[in-house]
Amino acid sequence: MDYDTELLNLALDAGEVMLKSGAETQRVQDTMLRILSVSGREKIEALAMSTMLIVSLPREVKGPLSMARGVQDRSVNFEKICAVNSMSRSFVAGEISLPQATQRMAEIQFAPSFPPLWRVLGYGITSGGFTMVYQGTFLDGVAAFIIGMILGLMVLWNGKWKAPYFFSSFAGGVLTGLFTCLFCLVFPQAQMDMIIVGSIMPLLPGITMTKSIRDLLEGNFISGSSKLMETLLVACAIAGGVAMVLSIFPL
Amino acid sequence: MTEFTMQDILFQSFFSLLACAGYSVVCNAPRKELLCCGINGFLGWFVYMLVYVRTGGAVSATLVATMAVTAVARFLSYHREAPSILYHIPGVLPLVPGAAVYKTMQAAIAGNILSTYSNALTGFKLAGAIGIGSLLILVLPYKTFEIFPRLGKKKKTA
């Protein structure tokens, strides 16, 4: 591969990892443009939309070069965003060469993450904590902590067989409703709404919603409106899952 | 509306700190940044409650709290050399209208159309407040947040 192709590949790799890890559209475009600007040419172009990336680079001899890539699965991983950010900075500053940058990109793809137990505990703490924040009693907090851990286990398990995002949210809602009802049967003094509001907090698409509104206000209408659609679908799936259980469950 | 004492607010904000740090673990934030993410979550709920107790308006409280969180996120991003989204997301998490989603759903089950629409609209208003609040701070130039020299680390090549 010649230098130009390798440069475009590096930009696409960086953009793909950032988009997959939940970075804003603006930041993805900026990073790709900065990497391409190392070539020193004019009229370079880098576009990021919700599920695809396009980069192009004009060349004097063989005509312009342009590449596109689709980005399918999506999760949130701040560690990778930070790593790509610092990699692109040191590449643009000339501290590392192109092969070194490509090497580091390959390492970032398999960056270590928290062990599964930590992540399950994280879900539990988030759910329990938000129940307490929204003025639940201590009992509600404990219930939400347990339900959050169950949700965390479900999310990990769904990640193993790559469940569709809609199913994952719906199942999360169903589990929340089911276990909240069971808990309220055992402890009648528990407040059902507090437990549910806290428990669905880590599942709610708060990140996607914030980013979609930011994209819309910044003028990235395509990714903004598609993310808004995603937000609505996920929120409806969670609410539908909880609602299904609540309307069926005999109380 | 129930009265909140300062103690209540601090108590809730402390749990907000825990919850936001927990959420950062879910989002796989770098380990050394967990505390900063939590502190931003603390700040988000603390400012929200302060404004909410004074004015009683959830939308304006969300707007002010989001602005505070975004400003601190950009400030931290400069000092710790990390993308600002890392601190921004846990900060606005307590303000995400989860209760509005739940109430909308509950009203829909009960067949109360009017309440369904009003709760859904509340949710949209809060979401819009978060978006506008972040953008108002994000349009400021990056220089605004460089009021102190970097702490600790040596400055890299400019």
Side-chain angles (χ1 to χ4, degrees), chain B residues 7 9 13 41 49 51 62-63 87 96 99 123 125 129 131 145 153:
Chain B
Q7 219 173 355
I9 296 177
S13 304
M49 278 315 275
V51 180
T62 305
L63 186 72
Y87 310 106
V96 168
K125 266 163 73 183
F145 299 95
K153 285 178 197 168

Side-chain angles (χ1 to χ4, degrees), chain A residues 22-24 27 76-79 81-82 85 95 112-115 118-119 122-123 125-126 129-130 132-135 193 196-197 200-202 204 206-207 209-211 213-214 217-218 232 235 239 242-243 246-247, chain B residues 4 11-12 15-16 18-20 22-31 34 45 49 82-86 88-90 92-99 101-102 105 109 124 127-128 130-132 134-135 138 157:
Chain A
E24 318 98 293
R27 181 184 296 282
V76 182
N77 195 327
F78 287 150
E79 176 105 51
I81 299 181
C82 293
N85 200 45
E95 288 162 18
S113 57
F114 281 106
W118 274 63
R119 299 194 60 186
Y123 274 98
I125 292 172
T126 314
F130 276 119
M132 299 302 283
V133 171
Y134 298 141
Q135 294 118 43
D193 45 351
I196 291 181
V197 169
I200 61 175
M201 216 57 197
L204 273 182
I207 299 182
M209 185 201 72
T210 315
K211 277 191 308 184
I213 295 167
R214 262 174 67 174
L217 292 177
E218 276 166 357
L232 280 179
V242 179
L246 287 192
S247 52
Chain B
F4 291 106
F11 179 75
Q12 289 171 9
F15 275 100
S16 176
L18 274 187
C20 290
Y23 193 70
S24 311
V25 174
V26 171
C27 289
N28 200 6
R31 274 169 209 226
L34 282 184
W45 189 253
M49 278 315 275
S84 68
I85 187 174
L86 174 66
H88 186 222
I89 293 294
V92 298
L93 192 68
L95 312 171
V96 168
V101 172
Y102 173 73
M105 176 209 79
I109 299 176
F124 275 116
I130 294 177
I132 293 171
S134 335
L135 205 76
L138 285 172
T157 46

